[in-house]
Amino acid sequence: MSTVNKTARFSIFSLLLAGVLAVGLVTPAQATPPNIPSLATAQSELNALTVAAEGSTTGYSRDLFPHWSTVSGTCNTRETVLKRDGTNVVTDSSCAATSGRWYSPYDGATWTLASDIDIDHVVALAEAWRSGASSWTTSRRQSFANDLTNPQLIAVTDNVNQSKGDQDPAEWKPPLTSYWCTYAKMWIHSKYQWGLRVDSAEKSALQSMLGRC
């Protein structure tokens, strides 16, 4: 075999090997809700939010925010977000995710079982209630709870979401500080789009988080 042929074959082999390694090292897609604003837009929206003391949770119930509505066919909002935020997600005839990979940007964990994933309402339903949603119609609350247009829903590790509960950014932030900027921008945009209020401690925390952008 000539030196030229050996060199050519080695080059081809090297390229193929590099391709295989590259595929093996692909990072799972990160959960990325739509319409996350730029820093400048988020700052403008934060400045525009009404600052007021947080209201009461009296009368609140999750049932007043009908969630996981049907989006299309047999797929509801939760299943739609699981497919949007995951990698290589396979679903059965009822639209339930049977396999896939999900990266949770709140804590940096990767999961392969949909049961390990919660769909977080970035602005929690009870927080929305205390911030103005108590006066909404049930129809408007349903639209908020199933909002796929704004950065209000995101697939994250279930126990991290449960630790958050209904707390605002003055009380809870994602474990990964590198995500605080994005989280603040999502929170601000959702409150701005839905006309919800912020309290002074919440606004101060959001401003500090934007400082990490």
Side-chain angles (χ1 to χ4, degrees), residues 25-211:
L25 294 173
V26 168
T27 301
Q30 295 191 16
T32 307
N35 297 319
I36 298 174
S38 66
L39 173 59
T41 297
Q43 183 64 67
S44 176
E45 290 175 348
L46 179 60
N47 294 343
L49 292 177
T50 297
V51 180
E54 195 166 82
S56 169
T57 310
T58 300
Y60 167 74
S61 168
R62 285 179 67 85
D63 293 339
L64 294 172
F65 291 80
H67 49 287
W68 308 159
S69 303
T70 299
V71 175
S72 64
T74 60
C75 299
N76 65 25
T77 310
R78 171 183 163 81
E79 293 156 347
T80 299
V81 176
L82 282 173
K83 288 196 291 185
R84 182 197 72 190
D85 290 357
T87 302
N88 299 325
V89 178
V90 176
T91 58
D92 62 19
S93 59
S94 65
C95 204
T98 57
S99 63
R101 290 173 66 84
W102 291 270
Y103 173 85
S104 168
Y106 284 6
D107 60 331
T110 298
W111 304 96
T112 57
L113 293 176
S115 58
D116 289 320
I117 297 296
D118 275 358
I119 306 304
D120 180 35
H121 288 93
V122 174
V123 176
L125 304 182
E127 164 66 21
W129 178 271
R130 296 188 297 262
S131 304
S134 60
S135 64
W136 293 352
T137 63
T138 299
S139 176
R140 182 168 173 80
R141 288 193 288 263
Q142 180 173 5
S143 295
F144 173 79
N146 296 277
D147 185 4
L148 293 168
T149 300
N150 296 298
Q152 167 60 8
L153 298 171
I154 186 170
V156 297
T157 302
D158 55 0
N159 61 356
V160 173
N161 181 49
Q162 290 153 22
S163 74
K164 170 185 171 179
D166 63 355
Q167 300 175 92
D168 70 32
E171 304 157 327
W172 185 93
K173 300 175 182 64
L176 283 184
T177 57
S178 58
Y179 200 68
W180 286 7
C181 165
T182 300
Y183 185 76
K185 290 192 291 185
M186 292 193 300
W187 182 283
I188 291 165
H189 194 63
S190 187
K191 282 218 161 178
Y192 179 82
Q193 290 296 317
W194 287 95
L196 295 170
R197 303 183 297 269
V198 291
D199 63 45
S200 58
E202 175 187 354
K203 182 175 182 179
S204 178
L206 289 165
Q207 186 63 68
S208 177
M209 293 164 79
L210 288 183

